[in-house]
Amino acid sequence: MDDVRAMHIANGIINGPVSAIFIVIAVAGLAVCVRRARIDLDDRLAPMAGLVAAFIFAVQMLNFQVLPGVSGHLLGGTLAVILVGPWVGALCVATVLLVQALVFADGGLTAIGLNITNMALIGTAAAYLLVALLLRVLPRTVAGLGATALIASVVGVVVASLGFVAEYALGGTTELSLGAIAATMAGVHTLIGIGEGLIAATTVVTVAKVRPDLVYALRAFRKPPAVARTGVTA
């Protein structure tokens, strides 16, 4: 088994055929993200995407051993989707994962498809869906945005961790029981999600107070202007 200190999923935790399938899934998902991100990217979003990717890289350096060959850490997906949207956000997370794997040997190369699928695709998708829902329910205020970031972070991190559980069920190579893995991953990542949520909430609230126009979620889900009704007489 590879170095258990490696971030993310290490080589050999999931067998070769399943890992290969998820490489294909990750490539297909990122191709869709690239196509859709071209629509969103503009002079305002492009530099923000660079800042978000750098921030995610920094926070992902804080990692915690969860299982042999598997570590837990902050993901940054919710922060990314709130600030730059789901498509660009997923690409930011995927870019960080690729740099970590190729340059810093953090995470197995054969597991790169698994890691991208879990953190860049599943995690950000779950977070974005919840952000879209909560911003329609909670007050459209700075406090409401902070609460949205906190809740979506917890859910997004846990859902991403359960992606690994599903992958392990398909091709796990260790003798650990699936139930034990599921309980450990969900429990540990709930705590990690709370920590990430506090960081994400603080960050997006700070940005929203200074430059609300830079917060993608506030632009995307703002209420449409009311249309005055005029009376029509026969």
Side-chain angles (χ1 to χ4, degrees), residues 153-167:
S153 292
V154 176
V155 173
V157 169
V158 172
V159 170
S161 73
L162 294 179
F164 167 75
V165 177
E167 293 155 0

Side-chain angles (χ1 to χ4, degrees), residues 37-134:
R38 289 175 179 172
I39 301 173
D40 290 340
L41 276 177
D42 54 24
D43 293 339
R44 173 173 50 187
L45 198 61
M48 178 60 77
L51 292 173
V52 167
F55 186 83
I56 291 173
F57 180 86
V59 299
Q60 284 199 6
M61 298 304 291
L62 301 172
N63 63 106
F64 319 93
Q65 195 67 40
V66 179
L67 296 167
V70 181
S71 62
H73 53 75
L74 306 179
L75 303 188
T78 299
L79 175 68
V81 300
I82 290 178
L83 292 180
V84 297
W87 313 111
V88 178
L91 293 176
C92 288
V93 177
T95 300
V96 170
L97 296 175
L98 284 169
V99 171
Q100 289 173 341
L102 297 175
V103 179
F104 296 96
D106 288 335
L109 288 177
T110 61
I112 190 65
L114 301 164
N115 288 318
I116 288 178
T117 298
N118 294 341
M119 290 181 272
L121 300 181
I122 296 176
T124 55
Y128 183 73
L129 291 174
L130 197 52
V131 167
L133 173 64
L134 291 175

